[in-house]
Structure formats: C-alpha cells, structure tokens
Amino acid sequence: MLRTIVRRLIAVPLLLLGVVTIAFLLSNMTKGDPLVAIVGERQMTNPEVVAAAKARWGLDRPLPERYLVYVGNLLSGDLGTSFRTKRPVAQDLMVRLPATLELVIAAMIVGIVGGISLGVAAAHFRDKGMDHAARVLALLGSSVPVFWSGLLMLYVFSVLLGWLPGPGRLDPRMAAPPAVTGFYTVDALLAGDWPAFVDAARRLVLPAIVLGWAVLGIITRLVRASMLDVLGQDYILAARSKGATERRVLFNHALRNAMIPTLTIIGFSFAYLITGAVLTEAVFSWPGIGTYAVDAARALDYPAIIGVTIVGGAAFLLTNLVTDVAYALADPRVKLG
Amino acid sequence: MTDAAIPTTTPVVRSRRMRPQWLTLPVIIGFAIIAFWVVVAVTVPLWTPYDPLMIAGRRLQAPSMAHWLGTDALGRDVLVRTLYGARYSLPIAVIVVAVAVAIGSALGAIAGYLGGLVDSVIMRFVDVTLAFPPILLAMAVTAALGPGLDNAAIAMVAVSWPVYARLMRAQVLSLRGREHVEAAIAAGASRPRVLIRHILPLAWSPTLVNATMDLGQIVLLAASLSFIGLGALPPTPEWGQMISEGAVHFYSWWIAFGPGMAILSMVLGFSFVGDGLRDLFDPRSGT
C-alpha cells in the first residue's frame, strides 16, 4: 500500500505541471488584448506606454521563454501580478483565502452533519414521510442553481423575515477583529469581541447553507444507501438479538460501517464546493477567492484568472490524494490500484 | 432491451398493459418536463403576447394578471423572457453534449482499442483536464476566448469531454476481448472496421446515460457562466443572464424567480430521465 501511495505522490506534481501548462497556454490564446486592460483604451495609441507595459509584463518575449519564466516563477511562489489590482496574485489570494476557507468549512459542516443525520433518519424511516422529505431535499440540493437559491434565501430570510443580516462577511460599520486565523468568527472570539462574533456568525449561516446544500444532498443519498445496505446484514441482526438499543445499533454498529463509502464522497464533494463557492461568493458579496475569480474573469485579468485556476487545480488534486489515502487507511480491504 | 429490465429470477406475473419497470413516475415526469420545454422552445414566438426584447409595460411591476411573473427593470415581461430562454439553453446543451460525446468517445475508443503510447498520451490529457475544477476551467477558457454564448459553449465542451473518453475507453477495453470481436478479426476485418462495426455498437449505453444527465448540468453551467457575465450578454433572454439582472434589482424578487425555476426544472427533468435510462440499461444498479 505504501508503494501505491508513493506512486500517487509522484503523479500529483506531474498532473500539476499539466495544469500549469494548460493554464499558461490558455492565457496565450486570448482574443481580447490584455494590453488594453493594462494601459487602458486611451493609452493604446501611445507607443511608449505600450512598449513599457509590454516589457514590464514580459508580453514581448517568445512563448516558450515566457513559459519557462512562468514555471520558474511559480516554483518560487510567484503567480505573476494582477493587471487589475496591480498586486502580486499570490498576495491577493492569500488575503482572500481565509474568507473562502471559513465559508467552505462552514458549508462542509452543514453538508456533513446535515447529510449524515438526514441519511440515517431516511434509512431508519424507510419509505415513510421522513424518507421522502430527505430525498426531495437531497435532490434539490444537487439540482438547484446556487446563484439563484442564494438570492431567494437572502430575500426570504433577510428582507422578508429579517432573521438574518444581508450579504458580506461583517457589518460594514463594524471593525474587523484583529487577524489571527483570518476567520472572522474565530478571531472575534479570540479578541473577546462578542458583537462582531454574533454578526460574523449570522452572516455565515445563509451562504454556508446555500453552498453546503449540494454536499448535503450527495451525503444524504449515500449514507441512506449504505445504511440500508449495512442494516440488512447479519451482524446487525446479532446486535439486535443481543438486546442492543435501536440507537446503539444505528450509530455504533451501522453508521460506522456505512461511513466508509461516505468518506470518499466527502473528499470528492470538495469539487462541488469549489464550483459552488465561486457562485455563492458572487451572490453574497463574500470577499473570497471566488469573488476574486469572477472579478478577474470579467475584467479579463489573465494573471489573476490563471493564478486562481492553478490554485484551484492544485487544491483539487491534493484533496483527491488525501481522500484516496484516508480511504485506504479507513478500510483495510481497499487496495489502491 | 426492454426484456432485460424484467428480473429473470423471479417469475412475476405481469399484465401486458403494465408499463415497463424502468418507466417510474419520476422518469415520466422527467420526460414531461423535457417535452414541455422542447415544445416551448419551438413554438414560443407563435403564442406569446409580448416580445421578449420589447417593453411590455411599466418597469419592475410585481406579478399580476397581465404579467404573470412581473416585469423587469426595463419593463419587459419576465414570463415571456423565461419561456424564450429555452431557445438558448436547450440547443446549447444539446450541441455542447453532442460535441463533447463525439470528441470524448472518439478519443476514448482510440485509446482503449490501440492501447500503448496512444492510450497513455490521451489518458494523461484526460487526467490533466479533469484535475481542474470545471467552473474555473470554463471561466478561464471563456475569458481567454472572450465573453459570449458561443465561446461559453466551447469552454463547456472543453470541460465535459474527458468523462466520455473515460467511459468509452472502459467499455472498449472490456469488449475488446469478446469472442465475436476475435471472430471478426479472424475473419480478416480491418482494425477500424472491428472497432466501428463490432465494438462501438455495444459500447454506447453508459455514454447515453451520462449524456442525458449532462444535458441538465450543461444548462446549469451555461447559466452560471452567463450569471458571472461570461456567457450570454444583455439583452439576451438567457436564464443566467436574467438572474444576474434579478440580483441587481434584488428587491424585485420575481425577475430571478422564473428563470431559476426554469433551470431547476430542466436539471431535474434530465436527471430523472437519466436515472430511468440507467435502470433500463443496467437493471442491477437500481436504487
């Protein structure tokens, strides 16, 4: 097993190089002229400004050379400089990473806790009302456009009912808590700033539900199926006949085995979270990497788009790797192929 | 094929009029939804009272008898625009999936049949493409080519073909060693002929199931790209574009409501039908 894990570890950098290459080629296929984005429409007639900009961004060098320079820079952690913000892309991303991570972790919690509870309940109350409700909820989760459900939820819970605050990470009138982890909820607690914590937590609720819903759907369906599978086996019958309580049978005996396939899905659902985070952040004006990607794409800010794409691809590859390894460790029967 | 849906181990007495087992209620609903949208897409200009691009009344009106889903910021009828949206989403989804299936299946079949270096090169390319989160790759491609529905369609092909390469390769690999293939080779059939006449006809069912489900996912992705501002541009009555207008006029909830429901129904419709097709082709995988 160790050998296969090592083999995966070697494959990941190669795949990453492929990701970088494709991203780089894409940035050089551009139809829209990035020069316009840098110097502005009016300055395009000024040859001096254009030449200076070309030299500064390396746009005048041949493609293979630019590629080598780009890969070399990447290895030293340099993702280039954003046309739009004029700051290094890596720095922009680092500033925005905590916001996205906080949202994604909250969404994961919604998806995992909600999905497992619903899945267990649906399996326990098979073909009853609870089961059907869970299935509808799961189905909607993977079909509803997040940029639409986000808008609707904001309208219902923030405007109509007034239960939750509007978009954004924090009330604009509040000062952000001193950055320790970058997570507003955690930092506010660490600083003992209770009002900021409450506001940050309340603002996290809707985007986390909107984003976590898709994951919740996937996990519910899987936990339900594997619970039903496990509940039909002999050792469950044995546990019941020994007089174990229903709760003990469900959670100690059945769920633990039903969790093995679920583990993989939790890892792979990260893909949904990245996709969803881009759109969810756009709807909730969440100042994370998703909003950054959308703004960059709209402004044809190629270094930024490519930076996000590479980082996203890397995150994707690493999660899949971790999932594979965790799966192998959790279930001794699994042999990585 | 329908015979395969009947479990052979349990001799069930079935009346002749009973519908086949795979044709469950959700599948029927799915077919109905898709049929509805196809009819709408084809006939909508014939019976709608308003033009999707023209002002139909006062701006930002809430739903009423005259405007069932209200009017948008320019006073255009939201329901009419939503119905016209099918004329963009459906053809795009069909074209994108058809092209992705054609490219992916061709490459997958070649990779699986020839093996060796060709296989390695094609499949590493598949691996790398699948290493991107789809939306980010689609965004990068669309941004590189320039915003617009046609470029968004190219981007969506770029992110969706690899799955079909994997599906087709797996099928070809498992069919390659079958006896009838060996017989064909022994009878002197050329390699392309063996692949096209003796392997591919048996290899389609997983692709077909996946393609059906993908149709809904492409509708969703196209709307997402338009929502971000990379797909359809105003004043096109495209669903994602309409929802982004609804986000601007946030308090007029009805602007985004119709197009959102339309996307949702489309995704559900195709995934219901896809589920049905899967049960039809592979009764053992039933839920």
Side-chain angles (χ1 to χ4, degrees):
Chain A
M1 194 180 75
L2 191 68
R3 221 185 53 184
T4 46
I5 291 179
V6 170
R7 193 146 33 109
R8 287 283 163 92
L9 281 174
I10 296 170
V12 166
L14 290 177
L15 283 173
L16 260 181
L17 187 67
V19 165
V20 170
T21 309
I22 288 189
F24 177 80
L25 288 177
L26 267 181
S27 73
N28 286 285
M29 269 170 38
T30 52
K31 217 192 241 163
D33 192 345
L35 263 179
V36 182
I38 309 169
V39 299
E41 202 82 57
R42 216 180 301 161
Q43 292 283 0
M44 282 302 284
T45 48
N46 186 337
E48 271 174 48
V49 175
V50 170
K54 270 190 179 170
R56 181 154 170 234
W57 303 102
L59 295 174
D60 54 350
R61 272 174 277 171
L63 198 65
E65 198 183 322
R66 254 191 285 163
Y67 175 67
L68 288 180
V69 170
Y70 190 76
V71 173
N73 288 347
L74 267 183
L75 288 177
S76 56
D78 183 357
L79 287 167
T81 310
S82 159
F83 292 162
R84 196 170 46 92
T85 65
K86 314 282 188 222
R87 278 193 303 269
V89 173
Q91 194 186 318
D92 275 348
L93 291 179
M94 283 309 289
V95 171
R96 286 154 172 276
L97 181 65
T100 299
L101 271 186
E102 190 176 27
L103 175 59
V104 165
I105 290 173
M108 268 292 198
I109 294 173
V110 169
I112 293 173
V113 174
I116 291 177
S117 334
L118 266 180
V120 172
H124 183 61
F125 298 105
R126 187 183 186 177
D127 288 329
K128 302 220 176 75
M130 181 70 211
D131 187 17
H132 298 308
R135 275 207 233 175
V136 170
L137 210 62
L139 188 63
L140 284 180
S142 46
S143 315
V144 86
V146 290
F147 50 94
W148 179 68
S149 57
L151 279 179
L152 278 190
M153 286 209 188
L154 261 180
Y155 188 77
V156 171
F157 292 103
S158 179
V159 177
L160 283 188
L161 300 172
W163 289 355
L164 290 164
R169 279 184 92 189
L170 198 65
D171 191 321
R173 288 161 298 183
M174 283 185 188
V180 181
T181 58
F183 294 1
Y184 279 7
T185 46
V186 177
D187 287 352
L189 275 186
L190 288 177
D193 188 349
W194 187 250
F197 170 75
V198 172
D199 189 62
R202 276 158 53 96
R203 279 167 193 270
L204 196 51
V205 172
L206 280 184
I209 290 176
V210 167
L211 182 54
W213 196 359
V215 178
L216 182 144
I218 301 169
I219 295 181
T220 303
R221 231 173 294 176
L222 201 75
V223 168
R224 177 183 180 275
S226 44
M227 279 295 278
L228 286 178
D229 198 33
V230 169
L231 282 174
Q233 289 182 15
D234 287 345
Y235 78 94
I236 295 289
L237 195 65
R240 284 207 171 113
S241 61
K242 283 197 297 183
T245 59
E246 188 59 23
R247 191 200 295 182
R248 196 180 157 79
V249 169
L250 274 184
F251 291 95
N252 288 31
H253 294 273
L255 183 59
R256 279 177 75 165
N257 281 303
M259 278 306 290
I260 293 173
T262 313
L263 208 58
T264 345
I265 285 301
I266 289 176
F268 290 124
S269 60
F270 193 70
Y272 285 85
L273 286 181
I274 292 183
T275 304
V278 171
L279 299 161
T280 310
E281 287 187 7
V283 169
F284 285 91
S285 313
W286 198 261
I289 291 178
T291 312
Y292 185 72
V294 170
D295 290 344
R298 278 180 184 153
L300 302 184
D301 180 357
Y302 298 112
I305 301 172
I306 292 167
V308 175
T309 310
I310 290 172
V311 170
F316 207 27
L317 282 173
L318 289 181
T319 343
N320 285 355
L321 177 73
V322 170
T323 310
D324 281 346
V325 173
Y327 188 48
L329 296 179
D331 185 349
R333 287 169 304 181
V334 176
K335 285 220 169 65
L336 293 174
Chain B
M1 269 326 263
T2 34
D3 288 346
I6 303 164
T8 44
T9 45
T10 45
V12 186
V13 183
R14 292 159 61 93
S15 94
R16 209 168 288 155
R17 273 198 223 135
M18 218 164 110
R19 56 186 154 87
Q21 218 168 18
W22 62 276
L23 201 62
T24 57
L25 186 62
V27 179
I28 295 171
I29 294 174
F31 273 119
I33 292 173
I34 295 166
F36 167 78
W37 282 117
V38 170
V39 170
V40 165
V42 173
T43 66
V44 70
L46 302 176
W47 46 266
T48 43
Y50 306 110
D51 185 295
L53 300 178
M54 302 298 272
I55 293 168
R58 218 159 24 81
R59 54 194 297 271
L60 298 178
Q61 279 181 70
S64 64
M65 283 312 287
H67 304 285
W68 291 1
L69 285 178
T71 59
D72 68 6
L74 295 176
R76 299 169 299 194
D77 187 88
V78 175
L79 177 60
V80 168
R81 283 174 67 75
T82 303
L83 294 174
Y84 267 85
R87 291 169 79 88
Y88 297 89
S89 297
L90 260 184
I92 286 173
V94 171
I95 291 170
V96 166
V97 171
V99 175
V101 166
I103 295 176
S105 305
L107 288 176
I110 292 170
Y113 190 61
L114 294 182
L117 185 65
V118 178
D119 184 25
S120 301
V121 170
I122 292 178
M123 292 325 285
R124 288 305 81 71
F125 197 49
V126 166
D127 290 342
V128 169
T129 314
L130 285 176
F132 288 99
I135 186 117
L136 287 181
L137 183 57
M139 279 169 68
V141 174
T142 321
L145 298 174
L149 264 186
D150 42 355
N151 289 336
I154 296 175
M156 291 188 285
V157 170
V159 300
S160 43
W161 69 271
V163 173
Y164 295 102
R166 278 201 180 162
L167 285 175
M168 189 49 85
R169 177 176 177 269
Q171 283 288 305
V172 170
L173 279 182
S174 77
L175 289 167
R176 201 168 58 171
R178 290 269 186 93
E179 281 168 5
H180 78 277
V181 175
E182 279 170 18
I185 296 171
S190 68
R191 291 219 287 189
R193 189 184 161 83
V194 170
L195 181 60
I196 293 167
R197 294 297 298 275
H198 299 276
I199 295 181
L200 289 191
L202 297 173
W204 279 111
S205 49
T207 302
L208 197 65
V209 171
N210 200 74
T212 310
M213 305 222 176
D214 241 12
L215 285 169
Q217 291 306 315
I218 294 297
V219 167
L220 189 55
L221 186 56
S224 306
L225 289 172
S226 296
F227 175 76
I228 291 171
L230 293 174
L233 303 168
T236 315
E238 195 275 344
W239 294 331
Q241 163 62 31
M242 291 172 70
I243 293 177
S244 89
E245 287 167 16
V248 175
H249 300 277
F250 175 65
Y251 292 93
S252 308
W253 57 269
W254 54 87
I255 299 179
F257 185 77
M261 290 301 282
I263 298 171
L264 179 60
S265 70
M266 215 51 131
V267 176
L268 286 177
F270 283 116
S271 81
F272 285 158
V273 173
D275 277 340
L277 289 180
R278 191 178 48 207
D279 291 346
L280 170 65
F281 291 134
D282 185 8
R284 280 157 302 168
S285 75
T287 43

